[in-house]
Amino acid sequence: MEMKQVLERILNHEELSREETRQILHGIAREEYSDEQISALLTGIQMRGITVDELLGFRDGILETGVPALLNADRYIDVVGTGGDRKNTFNISTTSCFVIAGAGYKVAKHGNYAATSISGASNVIRQHGVTFTDNIDVLNRSINECGIVYLHAQLFASAMKFVAHIRKALQFPTFFNLLGPLVNPSQPKCQLLGVANLDQMRLYGNVYQKLGIDYGIVNSMDGYDEISLTGDFKVKTNQYEKVFKPADLGLKAVTPEELVAGANEDEAAQIFDSVLEDRALPGQKAVVMANAAFAIQVMEGGRKSIDECLQIAKESIESGRALNTFKKFVELNQ
């Protein structure tokens, strides 16, 4: 597509179709546009606000120009946050994934290195000696032998490298920040997504409805892009939309200090280990159980109550199955 025409339409506040943004992403991957044109595109859409179809088109383009991960598994979930809440929490989503897998559900965790916190998913996974790969045989062995596979984003989303330097230079969030949770190369049919505000909850809710997947979207009302238990939090799924208090889950409120990742990657990894080894602070354990429970409810298609799912998550930790799952994962992925 001619970028001049695209930019004129954006300046006129016109919307692009899903097919048009898909073609634009392909053009970016083919290096058909200058840095200045891409900067203008990102800025214009950010100022106007992206539509559901535009976001879906960019998603389609990233998946089509990237490396697929065709997993030999029927039903699995990804648990991920949009990031950028600047709360510097420990690796809650990643830890929850091993609790979910320990409970017998399959997980395809998509992640990257930290952008705004001490430790992202790839940081804590790498800290334990795991080697990232896009080898499909290794990936399938992992999900089928220990119930979980890790997909390091940089190995799969090829188009992202063409805009990385532009995004860094712009120094403000763009629609590429919204794409991260949507471009898992295995395209899971289930996802639990943490968002930092309710506008994002509405946007992703509409996206998931168009994609036709089972989803849960969570937001803590004080700005965490996950269930923090520091106060009220909202959950939107295929079945319901509801505000919860920690007490509704039979859990105590958690202080923000209990959720901090620490001063460096080593300290973040130690917290991760302590949860799986069931020796973490009560608040750390409770937060992981809560996020895992809502993911399990998504996997169950809403057929289990959140109390049942919370008990499943708790047993995964306390029985040692979550820890054993992680040990097997490391063994398979070194």
Side-chain angles (χ1 to χ4, degrees), residues 92-105 107 109 124-125 130 142 146 148-150 272 276 288 292 316-317 321-330 333:
I92 295 171
S93 294
T94 309
T95 315
S96 299
C97 284
F98 288 97
V99 174
I100 296 161
Y105 301 91
V107 180
K109 170 66 176 153
V124 75
I125 295 292
V130 168
S142 185
C146 69
I148 185 168
V149 63
Y150 186 72
F272 173 89
L276 295 182
V288 169
S316 178
I317 296 174
R321 289 196 297 271
L323 177 61
N324 289 336
T325 295
F326 179 64
K327 288 179 177 178
K328 181 68 173 177
F329 168 80
V330 172
N333 289 277

PDB file of all heavy atoms in Angstrom, residues 92-105 107 109 124-125 130 142 146 148-150 272 276 288 292 316-317 321-330 333:
ATOM      1  N   ILE A  92       4.700 -12.757  38.166  1.00  0.00           N
ATOM      2  CA  ILE A  92       3.443 -13.379  38.593  1.00  0.00           C
ATOM      3  C   ILE A  92       2.857 -14.267  37.503  1.00  0.00           C
ATOM      4  O   ILE A  92       2.481 -15.426  37.743  1.00  0.00           O
ATOM      5  CB  ILE A  92       2.443 -12.303  39.038  1.00  0.00           C
ATOM      6  CG1 ILE A  92       2.968 -11.582  40.293  1.00  0.00           C
ATOM      7  CG2 ILE A  92       1.062 -12.914  39.299  1.00  0.00           C
ATOM      8  CD1 ILE A  92       2.166 -10.349  40.692  1.00  0.00           C
ATOM      9  N   SER A  93       2.748 -13.750  36.279  1.00  0.00           N
ATOM     10  CA  SER A  93       2.153 -14.533  35.191  1.00  0.00           C
ATOM     11  C   SER A  93       2.965 -15.787  34.895  1.00  0.00           C
ATOM     12  O   SER A  93       2.405 -16.876  34.722  1.00  0.00           O
ATOM     13  CB  SER A  93       2.039 -13.686  33.921  1.00  0.00           C
ATOM     14  OG  SER A  93       1.126 -12.631  34.086  1.00  0.00           O
ATOM     15  N   THR A  94       4.275 -15.638  34.835  1.00  0.00           N
ATOM     16  CA  THR A  94       5.133 -16.783  34.509  1.00  0.00           C
ATOM     17  C   THR A  94       5.065 -17.844  35.601  1.00  0.00           C
ATOM     18  O   THR A  94       4.967 -19.045  35.305  1.00  0.00           O
ATOM     19  CB  THR A  94       6.588 -16.316  34.308  1.00  0.00           C
ATOM     20  OG1 THR A  94       6.601 -15.224  33.387  1.00  0.00           O
ATOM     21  CG2 THR A  94       7.444 -17.439  33.766  1.00  0.00           C
ATOM     22  N   THR A  95       5.105 -17.413  36.849  1.00  0.00           N
ATOM     23  CA  THR A  95       4.983 -18.369  37.950  1.00  0.00           C
ATOM     24  C   THR A  95       3.634 -19.071  37.891  1.00  0.00           C
ATOM     25  O   THR A  95       3.546 -20.306  38.079  1.00  0.00           O
ATOM     26  CB  THR A  95       5.130 -17.650  39.306  1.00  0.00           C
ATOM     27  OG1 THR A  95       6.233 -16.751  39.262  1.00  0.00           O
ATOM     28  CG2 THR A  95       5.345 -18.652  40.428  1.00  0.00           C
ATOM     29  N   SER A  96       2.572 -18.315  37.608  1.00  0.00           N
ATOM     30  CA  SER A  96       1.229 -18.893  37.509  1.00  0.00           C
ATOM     31  C   SER A  96       1.171 -19.970  36.438  1.00  0.00           C
ATOM     32  O   SER A  96       0.467 -20.979  36.593  1.00  0.00           O
ATOM     33  CB  SER A  96       0.210 -17.792  37.186  1.00  0.00           C
ATOM     34  OG  SER A  96       0.174 -16.811  38.192  1.00  0.00           O
ATOM     35  N   CYS A  97       1.912 -19.779  35.343  1.00  0.00           N
ATOM     36  CA  CYS A  97       1.890 -20.758  34.253  1.00  0.00           C
ATOM     37  C   CYS A  97       2.363 -22.135  34.715  1.00  0.00           C
ATOM     38  O   CYS A  97       1.810 -23.162  34.310  1.00  0.00           O
ATOM     39  CB  CYS A  97       2.742 -20.263  33.091  1.00  0.00           C
ATOM     40  SG  CYS A  97       1.965 -18.975  32.105  1.00  0.00           S
ATOM     41  N   PHE A  98       3.374 -22.171  35.577  1.00  0.00           N
ATOM     42  CA  PHE A  98       3.871 -23.462  36.061  1.00  0.00           C
ATOM     43  C   PHE A  98       2.919 -24.074  37.084  1.00  0.00           C
ATOM     44  O   PHE A  98       2.833 -25.304  37.200  1.00  0.00           O
ATOM     45  CB  PHE A  98       5.290 -23.302  36.606  1.00  0.00           C
ATOM     46  CG  PHE A  98       6.291 -23.089  35.517  1.00  0.00           C
ATOM     47  CD1 PHE A  98       6.700 -21.813  35.181  1.00  0.00           C
ATOM     48  CD2 PHE A  98       6.782 -24.163  34.798  1.00  0.00           C
ATOM     49  CE1 PHE A  98       7.601 -21.601  34.137  1.00  0.00           C
ATOM     50  CE2 PHE A  98       7.686 -23.974  33.753  1.00  0.00           C
ATOM     51  CZ  PHE A  98       8.094 -22.687  33.421  1.00  0.00           C
ATOM     52  N   VAL A  99       2.178 -23.236  37.795  1.00  0.00           N
ATOM     53  CA  VAL A  99       1.134 -23.739  38.696  1.00  0.00           C
ATOM     54  C   VAL A  99       0.005 -24.364  37.880  1.00  0.00           C
ATOM     55  O   VAL A  99      -0.510 -25.437  38.210  1.00  0.00           O
ATOM     56  CB  VAL A  99       0.612 -22.604  39.595  1.00  0.00           C
ATOM     57  CG1 VAL A  99      -0.574 -23.076  40.429  1.00  0.00           C
ATOM     58  CG2 VAL A  99       1.729 -22.081  40.491  1.00  0.00           C
ATOM     59  N   ILE A 100      -0.361 -23.711  36.793  1.00  0.00           N
ATOM     60  CA  ILE A 100      -1.423 -24.228  35.907  1.00  0.00           C
ATOM     61  C   ILE A 100      -0.987 -25.551  35.292  1.00  0.00           C
ATOM     62  O   ILE A 100      -1.752 -26.524  35.270  1.00  0.00           O
ATOM     63  CB  ILE A 100      -1.733 -23.189  34.812  1.00  0.00           C
ATOM     64  CG1 ILE A 100      -2.294 -21.910  35.426  1.00  0.00           C
ATOM     65  CG2 ILE A 100      -2.719 -23.753  33.789  1.00  0.00           C
ATOM     66  CD1 ILE A 100      -2.192 -20.694  34.515  1.00  0.00           C
ATOM     67  N   ALA A 101       0.244 -25.587  34.779  1.00  0.00           N
ATOM     68  CA  ALA A 101       0.752 -26.825  34.181  1.00  0.00           C
ATOM     69  C   ALA A 101       0.872 -27.928  35.222  1.00  0.00           C
ATOM     70  O   ALA A 101       0.589 -29.103  34.952  1.00  0.00           O
ATOM     71  CB  ALA A 101       2.104 -26.573  33.510  1.00  0.00           C
ATOM     72  N   GLY A 102       1.256 -27.550  36.439  1.00  0.00           N
ATOM     73  CA  GLY A 102       1.349 -28.524  37.516  1.00  0.00           C
ATOM     74  C   GLY A 102       0.001 -29.132  37.879  1.00  0.00           C
ATOM     75  O   GLY A 102      -0.078 -30.250  38.382  1.00  0.00           O
ATOM     76  N   ALA A 103      -1.057 -28.378  37.589  1.00  0.00           N
ATOM     77  CA  ALA A 103      -2.413 -28.866  37.857  1.00  0.00           C
ATOM     78  C   ALA A 103      -2.951 -29.737  36.730  1.00  0.00           C
ATOM     79  O   ALA A 103      -4.099 -30.201  36.797  1.00  0.00           O
ATOM     80  CB  ALA A 103      -3.346 -27.678  38.086  1.00  0.00           C
ATOM     81  N   GLY A 104      -2.150 -29.928  35.686  1.00  0.00           N
ATOM     82  CA  GLY A 104      -2.558 -30.842  34.614  1.00  0.00           C
ATOM     83  C   GLY A 104      -3.081 -30.187  33.360  1.00  0.00           C
ATOM     84  O   GLY A 104      -3.528 -30.873  32.435  1.00  0.00           O
ATOM     85  N   TYR A 105      -3.018 -28.868  33.285  1.00  0.00           N
ATOM     86  CA  TYR A 105      -3.453 -28.156  32.083  1.00  0.00           C
ATOM     87  C   TYR A 105      -2.229 -27.810  31.234  1.00  0.00           C
ATOM     88  O   TYR A 105      -1.128 -27.659  31.757  1.00  0.00           O
ATOM     89  CB  TYR A 105      -4.192 -26.870  32.461  1.00  0.00           C
ATOM     90  CG  TYR A 105      -5.414 -27.109  33.316  1.00  0.00           C
ATOM     91  CD1 TYR A 105      -5.315 -27.097  34.707  1.00  0.00           C
ATOM     92  CD2 TYR A 105      -6.659 -27.361  32.740  1.00  0.00           C
ATOM     93  CE1 TYR A 105      -6.435 -27.324  35.503  1.00  0.00           C
ATOM     94  CE2 TYR A 105      -7.781 -27.588  33.524  1.00  0.00           C
ATOM     95  CZ  TYR A 105      -7.663 -27.571  34.912  1.00  0.00           C
ATOM     96  OH  TYR A 105      -8.767 -27.799  35.697  1.00  0.00           O
ATOM     97  N   VAL A 107       0.074 -25.387  28.767  1.00  0.00           N
ATOM     98  CA  VAL A 107       0.362 -23.954  28.684  1.00  0.00           C
ATOM     99  C   VAL A 107       1.384 -23.695  27.586  1.00  0.00           C
ATOM    100  O   VAL A 107       2.384 -24.416  27.482  1.00  0.00           O
ATOM    101  CB  VAL A 107       0.939 -23.436  30.025  1.00  0.00           C
ATOM    102  CG1 VAL A 107       1.244 -21.938  29.933  1.00  0.00           C
ATOM    103  CG2 VAL A 107      -0.022 -23.726  31.181  1.00  0.00           C
ATOM    104  N   LYS A 109       3.377 -20.496  26.975  1.00  0.00           N
ATOM    105  CA  LYS A 109       3.682 -19.156  27.473  1.00  0.00           C
ATOM    106  C   LYS A 109       4.515 -18.382  26.455  1.00  0.00           C
ATOM    107  O   LYS A 109       5.578 -18.842  26.042  1.00  0.00           O
ATOM    108  CB  LYS A 109       4.427 -19.264  28.802  1.00  0.00           C
ATOM    109  CG  LYS A 109       5.013 -17.959  29.330  1.00  0.00           C
ATOM    110  CD  LYS A 109       3.949 -16.953  29.698  1.00  0.00           C
ATOM    111  CE  LYS A 109       4.576 -15.698  30.306  1.00  0.00           C
ATOM    112  NZ  LYS A 109       3.735 -14.514  30.093  1.00  0.00           N
ATOM    113  N   VAL A 124      13.510 -14.349  33.665  1.00  0.00           N
ATOM    114  CA  VAL A 124      13.482 -15.340  34.746  1.00  0.00           C
ATOM    115  C   VAL A 124      13.661 -16.752  34.204  1.00  0.00           C
ATOM    116  O   VAL A 124      14.286 -17.606  34.855  1.00  0.00           O
ATOM    117  CB  VAL A 124      12.186 -15.213  35.587  1.00  0.00           C
ATOM    118  CG1 VAL A 124      10.964 -15.766  34.864  1.00  0.00           C
ATOM    119  CG2 VAL A 124      12.357 -15.898  36.937  1.00  0.00           C
ATOM    120  N   ILE A 125      13.174 -17.020  33.011  1.00  0.00           N
ATOM    121  CA  ILE A 125      13.373 -18.337  32.403  1.00  0.00           C
ATOM    122  C   ILE A 125      14.860 -18.547  32.095  1.00  0.00           C
ATOM    123  O   ILE A 125      15.442 -19.602  32.378  1.00  0.00           O
ATOM    124  CB  ILE A 125      12.522 -18.469  31.115  1.00  0.00           C
ATOM    125  CG1 ILE A 125      11.026 -18.422  31.436  1.00  0.00           C
ATOM    126  CG2 ILE A 125      12.878 -19.749  30.362  1.00  0.00           C
ATOM    127  CD1 ILE A 125      10.501 -19.595  32.203  1.00  0.00           C
ATOM    128  N   VAL A 130      17.664 -22.052  30.896  1.00  0.00           N
ATOM    129  CA  VAL A 130      16.877 -22.515  29.748  1.00  0.00           C
ATOM    130  C   VAL A 130      17.404 -21.862  28.469  1.00  0.00           C
ATOM    131  O   VAL A 130      17.741 -20.680  28.441  1.00  0.00           O
ATOM    132  CB  VAL A 130      15.388 -22.175  29.947  1.00  0.00           C
ATOM    133  CG1 VAL A 130      14.595 -22.372  28.662  1.00  0.00           C
ATOM    134  CG2 VAL A 130      14.809 -23.033  31.071  1.00  0.00           C
ATOM    135  N   SER A 142       8.376 -30.419  24.835  1.00  0.00           N
ATOM    136  CA  SER A 142       8.199 -29.709  26.099  1.00  0.00           C
ATOM    137  C   SER A 142       6.731 -29.683  26.527  1.00  0.00           C
ATOM    138  O   SER A 142       6.400 -30.039  27.660  1.00  0.00           O
ATOM    139  CB  SER A 142       8.744 -28.283  25.981  1.00  0.00           C
ATOM    140  OG  SER A 142       8.693 -27.614  27.225  1.00  0.00           O
ATOM    141  N   CYS A 146       5.966 -32.143  29.763  1.00  0.00           N
ATOM    142  CA  CYS A 146       5.829 -31.489  31.069  1.00  0.00           C
ATOM    143  C   CYS A 146       4.648 -30.516  31.114  1.00  0.00           C
ATOM    144  O   CYS A 146       4.434 -29.852  32.133  1.00  0.00           O
ATOM    145  CB  CYS A 146       7.120 -30.772  31.473  1.00  0.00           C
ATOM    146  SG  CYS A 146       7.536 -29.335  30.494  1.00  0.00           S
ATOM    147  N   ILE A 148       4.073 -27.700  29.493  1.00  0.00           N
ATOM    148  CA  ILE A 148       4.286 -26.282  29.251  1.00  0.00           C
ATOM    149  C   ILE A 148       5.429 -26.080  28.264  1.00  0.00           C
ATOM    150  O   ILE A 148       6.406 -26.826  28.247  1.00  0.00           O
ATOM    151  CB  ILE A 148       4.576 -25.527  30.569  1.00  0.00           C
ATOM    152  CG1 ILE A 148       4.684 -24.006  30.323  1.00  0.00           C
ATOM    153  CG2 ILE A 148       5.785 -26.071  31.290  1.00  0.00           C
ATOM    154  CD1 ILE A 148       4.681 -23.195  31.617  1.00  0.00           C
ATOM    155  N   VAL A 149       5.278 -25.065  27.405  1.00  0.00           N
ATOM    156  CA  VAL A 149       6.315 -24.684  26.463  1.00  0.00           C
ATOM    157  C   VAL A 149       6.498 -23.180  26.567  1.00  0.00           C
ATOM    158  O   VAL A 149       5.543 -22.446  26.824  1.00  0.00           O
ATOM    159  CB  VAL A 149       5.946 -25.110  25.024  1.00  0.00           C
ATOM    160  CG1 VAL A 149       4.693 -24.402  24.533  1.00  0.00           C
ATOM    161  CG2 VAL A 149       7.094 -24.851  24.058  1.00  0.00           C
ATOM    162  N   TYR A 150       7.750 -22.728  26.391  1.00  0.00           N
ATOM    163  CA  TYR A 150       8.015 -21.288  26.419  1.00  0.00           C
ATOM    164  C   TYR A 150       8.420 -20.806  25.031  1.00  0.00           C
ATOM    165  O   TYR A 150       9.334 -21.368  24.408  1.00  0.00           O
ATOM    166  CB  TYR A 150       9.110 -20.926  27.425  1.00  0.00           C
ATOM    167  CG  TYR A 150       9.257 -19.423  27.549  1.00  0.00           C
ATOM    168  CD1 TYR A 150       8.280 -18.682  28.205  1.00  0.00           C
ATOM    169  CD2 TYR A 150      10.322 -18.741  26.966  1.00  0.00           C
ATOM    170  CE1 TYR A 150       8.373 -17.301  28.287  1.00  0.00           C
ATOM    171  CE2 TYR A 150      10.415 -17.374  27.046  1.00  0.00           C
ATOM    172  CZ  TYR A 150       9.435 -16.651  27.706  1.00  0.00           C
ATOM    173  OH  TYR A 150       9.505 -15.287  27.772  1.00  0.00           O
ATOM    174  N   PHE A 272      10.457 -16.139  42.428  1.00  0.00           N
ATOM    175  CA  PHE A 272       9.844 -17.147  41.553  1.00  0.00           C
ATOM    176  C   PHE A 272      10.037 -18.544  42.145  1.00  0.00           C
ATOM    177  O   PHE A 272       9.081 -19.323  42.279  1.00  0.00           O
ATOM    178  CB  PHE A 272      10.488 -17.031  40.167  1.00  0.00           C
ATOM    179  CG  PHE A 272      10.113 -18.094  39.179  1.00  0.00           C
ATOM    180  CD1 PHE A 272       9.009 -17.946  38.346  1.00  0.00           C
ATOM    181  CD2 PHE A 272      10.891 -19.247  39.048  1.00  0.00           C
ATOM    182  CE1 PHE A 272       8.683 -18.930  37.413  1.00  0.00           C
ATOM    183  CE2 PHE A 272      10.567 -20.230  38.123  1.00  0.00           C
ATOM    184  CZ  PHE A 272       9.462 -20.067  37.307  1.00  0.00           C
ATOM    185  N   LEU A 276       7.157 -21.494  43.920  1.00  0.00           N
ATOM    186  CA  LEU A 276       7.019 -22.876  43.467  1.00  0.00           C
ATOM    187  C   LEU A 276       7.440 -23.870  44.550  1.00  0.00           C
ATOM    188  O   LEU A 276       6.934 -24.994  44.599  1.00  0.00           O
ATOM    189  CB  LEU A 276       7.844 -23.096  42.200  1.00  0.00           C
ATOM    190  CG  LEU A 276       7.388 -22.308  40.960  1.00  0.00           C
ATOM    191  CD1 LEU A 276       8.264 -22.656  39.759  1.00  0.00           C
ATOM    192  CD2 LEU A 276       5.920 -22.571  40.628  1.00  0.00           C
ATOM    193  N   VAL A 288      -0.237 -15.466  43.043  1.00  0.00           N
ATOM    194  CA  VAL A 288      -0.017 -16.478  42.007  1.00  0.00           C
ATOM    195  C   VAL A 288      -1.210 -17.425  41.934  1.00  0.00           C
ATOM    196  O   VAL A 288      -1.691 -17.758  40.838  1.00  0.00           O
ATOM    197  CB  VAL A 288       1.289 -17.250  42.275  1.00  0.00           C
ATOM    198  CG1 VAL A 288       1.395 -18.475  41.361  1.00  0.00           C
ATOM    199  CG2 VAL A 288       2.483 -16.329  42.064  1.00  0.00           C
ATOM    200  N   ALA A 292      -3.584 -17.900  38.623  1.00  0.00           N
ATOM    201  CA  ALA A 292      -3.683 -19.256  38.077  1.00  0.00           C
ATOM    202  C   ALA A 292      -5.123 -19.740  38.090  1.00  0.00           C
ATOM    203  O   ALA A 292      -5.580 -20.395  37.147  1.00  0.00           O
ATOM    204  CB  ALA A 292      -2.789 -20.205  38.873  1.00  0.00           C
ATOM    205  N   SER A 316      -1.721 -27.540  43.456  1.00  0.00           N
ATOM    206  CA  SER A 316      -0.591 -27.657  42.541  1.00  0.00           C
ATOM    207  C   SER A 316       0.702 -27.210  43.217  1.00  0.00           C
ATOM    208  O   SER A 316       1.753 -27.835  43.058  1.00  0.00           O
ATOM    209  CB  SER A 316      -0.842 -26.828  41.272  1.00  0.00           C
ATOM    210  OG  SER A 316       0.264 -26.900  40.399  1.00  0.00           O
ATOM    211  N   ILE A 317       0.597 -26.130  44.004  1.00  0.00           N
ATOM    212  CA  ILE A 317       1.776 -25.640  44.732  1.00  0.00           C
ATOM    213  C   ILE A 317       2.110 -26.542  45.908  1.00  0.00           C
ATOM    214  O   ILE A 317       3.245 -27.000  46.059  1.00  0.00           O
ATOM    215  CB  ILE A 317       1.549 -24.192  45.222  1.00  0.00           C
ATOM    216  CG1 ILE A 317       1.392 -23.235  44.033  1.00  0.00           C
ATOM    217  CG2 ILE A 317       2.706 -23.743  46.108  1.00  0.00           C
ATOM    218  CD1 ILE A 317       1.009 -21.812  44.435  1.00  0.00           C
ATOM    219  N   ARG A 321       3.656 -30.409  42.742  1.00  0.00           N
ATOM    220  CA  ARG A 321       3.539 -30.678  41.301  1.00  0.00           C
ATOM    221  C   ARG A 321       3.991 -29.484  40.454  1.00  0.00           C
ATOM    222  O   ARG A 321       4.583 -29.667  39.385  1.00  0.00           O
ATOM    223  CB  ARG A 321       2.109 -31.083  40.951  1.00  0.00           C
ATOM    224  CG  ARG A 321       1.713 -32.479  41.451  1.00  0.00           C
ATOM    225  CD  ARG A 321       0.457 -32.994  40.766  1.00  0.00           C
ATOM    226  NE  ARG A 321      -0.693 -32.160  41.061  1.00  0.00           N
ATOM    227  CZ  ARG A 321      -1.505 -32.343  42.106  1.00  0.00           C
ATOM    228  NH1 ARG A 321      -1.268 -33.335  42.955  1.00  0.00           N
ATOM    229  NH2 ARG A 321      -2.537 -31.552  42.312  1.00  0.00           N
ATOM    230  N   ALA A 322       3.709 -28.271  40.916  1.00  0.00           N
ATOM    231  CA  ALA A 322       4.150 -27.087  40.172  1.00  0.00           C
ATOM    232  C   ALA A 322       5.670 -27.044  40.093  1.00  0.00           C
ATOM    233  O   ALA A 322       6.250 -26.791  39.030  1.00  0.00           O
ATOM    234  CB  ALA A 322       3.601 -25.817  40.833  1.00  0.00           C
ATOM    235  N   LEU A 323       6.329 -27.313  41.217  1.00  0.00           N
ATOM    236  CA  LEU A 323       7.795 -27.312  41.259  1.00  0.00           C
ATOM    237  C   LEU A 323       8.362 -28.423  40.385  1.00  0.00           C
ATOM    238  O   LEU A 323       9.321 -28.202  39.625  1.00  0.00           O
ATOM    239  CB  LEU A 323       8.279 -27.472  42.699  1.00  0.00           C
ATOM    240  CG  LEU A 323       9.800 -27.548  42.888  1.00  0.00           C
ATOM    241  CD1 LEU A 323      10.473 -26.282  42.396  1.00  0.00           C
ATOM    242  CD2 LEU A 323      10.129 -27.808  44.359  1.00  0.00           C
ATOM    243  N   ASN A 324       7.779 -29.604  40.455  1.00  0.00           N
ATOM    244  CA  ASN A 324       8.270 -30.726  39.649  1.00  0.00           C
ATOM    245  C   ASN A 324       8.087 -30.450  38.161  1.00  0.00           C
ATOM    246  O   ASN A 324       8.934 -30.840  37.341  1.00  0.00           O
ATOM    247  CB  ASN A 324       7.555 -32.019  40.042  1.00  0.00           C
ATOM    248  CG  ASN A 324       7.981 -32.520  41.414  1.00  0.00           C
ATOM    249  OD1 ASN A 324       9.074 -32.205  41.885  1.00  0.00           O
ATOM    250  ND2 ASN A 324       7.122 -33.287  42.066  1.00  0.00           N
ATOM    251  N   THR A 325       6.997 -29.788  37.823  1.00  0.00           N
ATOM    252  CA  THR A 325       6.770 -29.408  36.429  1.00  0.00           C
ATOM    253  C   THR A 325       7.864 -28.470  35.954  1.00  0.00           C
ATOM    254  O   THR A 325       8.397 -28.620  34.844  1.00  0.00           O
ATOM    255  CB  THR A 325       5.394 -28.724  36.274  1.00  0.00           C
ATOM    256  OG1 THR A 325       4.368 -29.674  36.582  1.00  0.00           O
ATOM    257  CG2 THR A 325       5.189 -28.193  34.857  1.00  0.00           C
ATOM    258  N   PHE A 326       8.219 -27.506  36.799  1.00  0.00           N
ATOM    259  CA  PHE A 326       9.266 -26.566  36.415  1.00  0.00           C
ATOM    260  C   PHE A 326      10.622 -27.271  36.268  1.00  0.00           C
ATOM    261  O   PHE A 326      11.364 -27.013  35.324  1.00  0.00           O
ATOM    262  CB  PHE A 326       9.384 -25.430  37.439  1.00  0.00           C
ATOM    263  CG  PHE A 326      10.459 -24.445  37.100  1.00  0.00           C
ATOM    264  CD1 PHE A 326      10.374 -23.681  35.949  1.00  0.00           C
ATOM    265  CD2 PHE A 326      11.572 -24.308  37.918  1.00  0.00           C
ATOM    266  CE1 PHE A 326      11.385 -22.787  35.607  1.00  0.00           C
ATOM    267  CE2 PHE A 326      12.583 -23.414  37.593  1.00  0.00           C
ATOM    268  CZ  PHE A 326      12.481 -22.651  36.428  1.00  0.00           C
ATOM    269  N   LYS A 327      10.926 -28.161  37.187  1.00  0.00           N
ATOM    270  CA  LYS A 327      12.194 -28.894  37.100  1.00  0.00           C
ATOM    271  C   LYS A 327      12.268 -29.712  35.806  1.00  0.00           C
ATOM    272  O   LYS A 327      13.315 -29.752  35.138  1.00  0.00           O
ATOM    273  CB  LYS A 327      12.346 -29.819  38.313  1.00  0.00           C
ATOM    274  CG  LYS A 327      12.644 -29.090  39.614  1.00  0.00           C
ATOM    275  CD  LYS A 327      12.762 -30.067  40.776  1.00  0.00           C
ATOM    276  CE  LYS A 327      13.143 -29.349  42.075  1.00  0.00           C
ATOM    277  NZ  LYS A 327      13.205 -30.311  43.220  1.00  0.00           N
ATOM    278  N   LYS A 328      11.172 -30.349  35.441  1.00  0.00           N
ATOM    279  CA  LYS A 328      11.123 -31.127  34.200  1.00  0.00           C
ATOM    280  C   LYS A 328      11.262 -30.210  32.991  1.00  0.00           C
ATOM    281  O   LYS A 328      11.961 -30.537  32.014  1.00  0.00           O
ATOM    282  CB  LYS A 328       9.807 -31.904  34.130  1.00  0.00           C
ATOM    283  CG  LYS A 328       9.643 -32.768  32.882  1.00  0.00           C
ATOM    284  CD  LYS A 328      10.621 -33.927  32.863  1.00  0.00           C
ATOM    285  CE  LYS A 328      10.331 -34.878  31.708  1.00  0.00           C
ATOM    286  NZ  LYS A 328      11.316 -35.969  31.622  1.00  0.00           N
ATOM    287  N   PHE A 329      10.624 -29.042  33.059  1.00  0.00           N
ATOM    288  CA  PHE A 329      10.713 -28.056  31.983  1.00  0.00           C
ATOM    289  C   PHE A 329      12.173 -27.625  31.755  1.00  0.00           C
ATOM    290  O   PHE A 329      12.648 -27.580  30.611  1.00  0.00           O
ATOM    291  CB  PHE A 329       9.844 -26.843  32.319  1.00  0.00           C
ATOM    292  CG  PHE A 329      10.070 -25.656  31.433  1.00  0.00           C
ATOM    293  CD1 PHE A 329       9.501 -25.583  30.175  1.00  0.00           C
ATOM    294  CD2 PHE A 329      10.857 -24.586  31.877  1.00  0.00           C
ATOM    295  CE1 PHE A 329       9.716 -24.483  29.354  1.00  0.00           C
ATOM    296  CE2 PHE A 329      11.080 -23.489  31.067  1.00  0.00           C
ATOM    297  CZ  PHE A 329      10.515 -23.432  29.797  1.00  0.00           C
ATOM    298  N   VAL A 330      12.864 -27.324  32.832  1.00  0.00           N
ATOM    299  CA  VAL A 330      14.264 -26.912  32.714  1.00  0.00           C
ATOM    300  C   VAL A 330      15.115 -28.035  32.111  1.00  0.00           C
ATOM    301  O   VAL A 330      15.959 -27.813  31.233  1.00  0.00           O
ATOM    302  CB  VAL A 330      14.832 -26.472  34.086  1.00  0.00           C
ATOM    303  CG1 VAL A 330      16.328 -26.220  34.003  1.00  0.00           C
ATOM    304  CG2 VAL A 330      14.102 -25.220  34.590  1.00  0.00           C
ATOM    305  N   ASN A 333      14.659 -28.254  28.383  1.00  0.00           N
ATOM    306  CA  ASN A 333      14.913 -27.058  27.580  1.00  0.00           C
ATOM    307  C   ASN A 333      16.298 -26.441  27.792  1.00  0.00           C
ATOM    308  O   ASN A 333      16.518 -25.261  27.507  1.00  0.00           O
ATOM    309  CB  ASN A 333      13.841 -25.998  27.879  1.00  0.00           C
ATOM    310  CG  ASN A 333      12.481 -26.384  27.305  1.00  0.00           C
ATOM    311  OD1 ASN A 333      12.212 -26.154  26.139  1.00  0.00           O
ATOM    312  ND2 ASN A 333      11.642 -26.983  28.133  1.00  0.00           N
TER     313      ASN A 333
END
